[in-house]
Amino acid sequence: MDPLLAGGLAVAALVVGALGAYLFVRSQRSQSSAFDKTRFQDELRSAESRGQELIETARRDAEQITRDADLRARDDAFRRREEVNRELDTLRNELRELERRVEKREDAAEQRHKELVRKERHHESIQKKLAERKELLERKSKQLDEVIAEETKKLHEITGLTREHAERMLLEKLERELAEEMAVRIRQHEERLKQTAEAKAREILATSIQRYASEHTANSTVSTVDIPSDDMKGRIIGREGRNIRTFEKCTGVDVIVDDTPGVVIVSAFDNIRRETARLSLTKLIQDGRIHPTRIEEVVAETQLEMEKHILELGKNAVVDADIPMPHDKIVHLLGRLRFRTSYSQNVLQHSLEVAHLCGLMAGELGLNPQLARRCGLLHDVGKAADHEMEGGHPKIGAELAKRYGETSKEVLHAIAGHHDDVTVDNIYTVLVAAADAISASRPGARRETLEKYVKRLELLEAVACGFPGVEHAFAIQAGRELRVIANSHQTTDAEAVKICRDIARAIEQQLDYPGEIKVTVIRESRAVDVAK
């Protein structure tokens, strides 16, 4: 509460008390006439005295309260002034700090401005010098071009050579020098590779071939049916040839009944049809009842048995290769390979052989043998349908395998790329290609006619003789090696190395051949390369 208000209230209370006492006394006097005047006066003076004392006491209290309030007010004012002074000091300090920072920034900005002005002047000076130097170089370049043109003209007049002739001579000299350098580099690079790669490759291949010894040789592609007597030929032909016509229509083969005693020949492009016809004809001969209705029944029955037999052959091949069972359609295609030959080599047996060789080589290299065997077994699966679909058997095989659930990228790439039809970037494809070449080139695996054999050797020699500097070429070792005699006057030792490599590359690009062909160029030294 405000001290002045408290003092005023106290004085008012005292006045009210005195007035109440006065009124009380007056009322008492009016009620009782017995009070005398003297007593009344005494009491009045006593009341006035007490009132004066109370008023004095109230005044002193009011003064004390006023002084106390004044002191507190002064203390509050002093304390607030001190607080305001402290805040002002804080603000002044912050302002001074801000002024110092602004001054520092202004100094730094001024310093940077001066540095930029100095750099601009330096840059302008450098630009000016560069422009002068550029102008000087252009003048010197122009003078040099004029001098070169004049000297070139004098050189042409002195030598009697045109520019084109001189360029041709220079390029020929450079080509000879580069050819020799390339031959040296090729020889050095091949020597480094042969020190490690050839020994390791021979070891892996030799180990794999030795561990897998195949008992299969080339199969006969001629189907014949033995008959008990020549009288059976007439029954096979039937009245007016109706039996043989019905048989050929049901089986899709040609039946050759000639003068050969005790034998009837079955001929067809499709080996499965030929085998079905052979089995059907054998059943008919054993049964003895040969007429159109019986022929149709036996052929239909044999075709069903043949489908089951083909599926069983495919399953046996998968079990023999020790791989997970693929889709039934792929198994059926594998079984069809049993009746497909390539250069008289049974394709199913060839696929099994490739599968086992791939598994053995993968084991030697630390790869997955089961995956390698799967790649090898399925690499020629396209041959089971290449006469029904357009394209080569690698492309057909990859499409069929992908269509029937084969998801392994390694297997699909090995099927499509084992004949280098696509870019080979997978190690399993390389293993399949190597195993395929081993299986095809081993002794007794394939047979070819004399005409094809002679033609292949002639083409091999013709490719080598087409290179400049080659005098003679001889295909030896049944076409496994090519000996080339180089003209010692037209070639150098370095050029002989290059010729050898070029011949090997040309054979790879132009000819189809099983296995490898070793190319040997003979001059004063020998350069040997292998067409892979």
Side-chain angles (χ1 to χ4, degrees):
M1 181 181 293
D2 189 4
L4 294 177
L5 180 60
L9 292 175
V11 173
L14 291 175
V15 172
V16 171
L19 182 59
Y22 172 75
L23 292 175
F24 175 77
V25 171
R26 187 175 179 178
S27 63
Q28 290 292 330
R29 188 180 59 182
S30 61
Q31 292 177 3
S32 178
S33 59
F35 286 97
D36 56 1
K37 186 177 179 179
T38 303
R39 186 178 180 182
F40 174 78
Q41 291 177 353
D42 293 338
E43 290 179 357
L44 179 61
R45 283 192 296 269
S46 177
E48 290 177 353
S49 177
R50 287 194 299 272
Q52 289 294 331
E53 291 177 357
L54 291 173
I55 291 171
E56 185 66 21
T57 302
R59 186 182 60 77
R60 288 195 301 270
D61 292 340
E63 291 177 355
Q64 184 65 33
I65 290 170
T66 303
R67 285 195 299 271
D68 293 342
D70 187 39
L71 288 175
R72 285 195 295 272
R74 290 180 181 179
D75 291 339
D76 292 340
F78 181 77
R79 186 171 59 256
R80 291 179 180 177
R81 186 169 54 253
E82 288 295 329
E83 291 177 355
V84 170
N85 290 334
R86 284 196 299 272
E87 291 178 357
L88 289 175
D89 292 339
T90 303
L91 292 175
R92 290 190 190 96
N93 293 332
E94 292 177 354
L95 183 60
R96 293 191 190 95
E97 183 65 24
L98 289 174
E99 289 177 352
R100 285 195 297 271
R101 291 179 182 177
V102 171
E103 289 176 356
K104 288 182 180 179
R105 291 181 179 179
E106 289 178 352
D107 294 340
E110 185 177 358
Q111 186 67 25
R112 286 196 297 270
H113 179 69
K114 292 180 180 180
E115 184 68 19
L116 289 174
V117 171
R118 186 184 64 79
K119 289 183 178 180
E120 287 179 357
R121 292 175 180 174
H122 182 65
H123 181 69
E124 291 175 357
S125 176
I126 292 175
Q127 290 288 344
K128 185 177 180 181
K129 291 180 181 180
L130 288 175
E132 294 175 355
R133 185 173 297 178
K134 180 180 179 182
E135 184 179 357
L136 179 61
L137 289 175
E138 289 178 353
R139 289 198 302 269
K140 288 185 177 180
S141 177
K142 186 176 180 181
Q143 293 175 1
L144 183 61
D145 292 339
E146 294 176 354
V147 172
I148 291 174
E150 185 178 354
E151 293 295 331
T152 303
K153 183 178 179 181
K154 290 181 180 180
L155 182 63
H156 289 331
E157 293 175 354
I158 294 172
T159 59
L161 297 174
T162 62
R163 179 184 181 88
E164 292 76 11
H165 191 193
E167 288 180 352
R168 187 166 60 254
M169 292 177 62
L170 180 61
L171 291 176
E172 289 176 355
K173 181 180 178 181
L174 182 62
E175 185 177 359
R176 289 193 299 269
E177 293 177 356
L178 290 177
E180 184 174 355
E181 183 178 355
M182 284 191 298
V184 173
R185 288 179 178 269
I186 290 172
R187 188 186 302 111
Q188 292 175 352
H189 182 66
E190 289 179 348
E191 288 176 357
R192 286 196 300 268
L193 290 178
K194 287 180 180 178
Q195 290 176 359
T196 56
E198 185 175 354
K200 185 63 177 177
R202 287 181 180 275
E203 179 183 353
I204 293 174
L205 291 176
T207 303
S208 302
I209 296 172
Q210 187 177 18
R211 291 176 61 186
Y212 181 77
S214 176
E215 70 277 8
H216 304 288
T217 58
N219 295 332
S220 174
T221 58
V222 179
S223 296
T224 60
V225 179
D226 295 332
I227 57 177
S229 64
D230 290 343
D231 296 337
M232 185 60 68
K233 292 181 180 181
R235 298 178 63 184
I236 293 173
I237 296 173
R239 182 179 300 176
E240 297 178 357
R242 63 177 185 175
N243 290 348
I244 193 170
R245 283 197 304 271
T246 302
F247 186 83
E248 290 178 348
K249 180 180 179 181
C250 293
T251 59
V253 302
D254 294 329
V255 180
I256 302 173
V257 182
D258 54 13
D259 296 335
T260 305
V263 172
V264 174
I265 300 174
V266 178
S267 176
F269 176 77
D270 191 333
N271 292 340
I272 296 179
R273 290 181 182 178
R274 187 176 65 245
E275 182 66 14
T276 303
R278 188 186 67 82
L279 294 175
S280 300
L281 189 57
T282 302
K283 290 181 179 180
L284 289 171
I285 292 173
Q286 292 176 353
D287 185 47
R289 295 176 294 169
I290 304 177
H291 52 82
T293 303
R294 181 60 179 167
I295 291 174
E296 293 176 355
E297 293 176 357
V298 171
V299 170
E301 179 184 349
T302 307
Q303 287 174 347
L304 293 176
E305 294 177 357
M306 195 66 181
E307 289 295 323
K308 295 180 181 179
H309 181 59
I310 289 173
L311 190 62
E312 188 67 24
L313 289 173
K315 291 181 179 179
N316 292 338
V318 173
V319 172
D320 191 9
D322 192 18
I323 63 172
M325 190 67 65
H327 192 275
D328 288 344
K329 188 63 178 178
I330 296 180
V331 175
H332 185 269
L333 292 174
L334 286 175
R336 288 173 64 92
L337 293 180
R338 174 64 178 80
F339 304 97
R340 170 69 189 268
T341 59
S342 177
Y343 293 96
S344 301
Q345 184 181 24
N346 187 274
V347 178
L348 181 59
Q349 298 299 336
H350 163 72
S351 299
L352 283 171
E353 189 172 358
V354 171
H356 288 295
L357 289 173
C358 286
L360 293 173
M361 287 189 287
E364 294 288 335
L365 295 173
L367 301 175
N368 187 345
Q370 188 180 77
L371 179 59
R373 289 195 298 270
R374 191 179 188 89
C375 293
L377 182 64
L378 301 181
H379 81 284
D380 270 346
V381 71
K383 288 185 177 181
D386 58 354
H387 61 286
E388 301 173 356
M389 301 174 64
E390 185 176 355
H393 75 273
K395 179 181 178 182
I396 295 173
E399 292 178 356
L400 290 174
K402 187 175 182 180
R403 182 187 303 172
Y404 296 120
E406 185 59 52
T407 58
S408 174
K409 295 181 179 179
E410 291 81 1
V411 176
L412 295 176
H413 192 275
I415 296 173
H418 69 279
H419 282 320
D420 295 330
D421 294 331
V422 297
T423 302
V424 178
D425 55 2
N426 190 291
I427 183 61
Y428 291 97
T429 305
V430 177
L431 293 182
V432 171
D436 186 42
I438 293 171
S439 176
S441 61
R442 61 180 176 79
R446 293 185 172 185
R447 290 201 302 264
E448 59 182 348
T449 62
L450 179 61
E451 292 79 6
K452 291 183 179 180
Y453 174 77
V454 173
K455 184 177 181 180
R456 182 164 65 86
L457 298 185
E458 290 176 350
L459 290 175
L460 194 60
E461 295 174 353
V463 170
C465 291
F467 285 84
V470 175
E471 290 185 347
H472 303 288
F474 304 97
I476 61 177
Q477 297 292 332
R480 302 294 180 190
E481 183 176 354
L482 181 64
R483 295 285 178 87
V484 180
I485 308 300
N487 191 322
S488 59
H489 300 289
Q490 297 179 4
T491 59
T492 63
D493 289 344
E495 290 174 348
V497 177
K498 187 174 183 299
I499 291 173
C500 180
R501 187 176 184 82
D502 291 342
I503 292 174
R505 300 291 85 80
I507 293 173
E508 291 177 353
Q509 297 173 4
Q510 300 177 21
L511 301 182
D512 294 330
Y513 52 90
E516 297 179 347
I517 298 177
K518 182 178 180 182
V519 181
T520 304
V521 175
I522 302 174
R523 189 184 172 269
E524 293 180 357
S525 61
R526 295 186 180 184
V528 181
D529 201 347
V530 175
K532 300 178 181 178

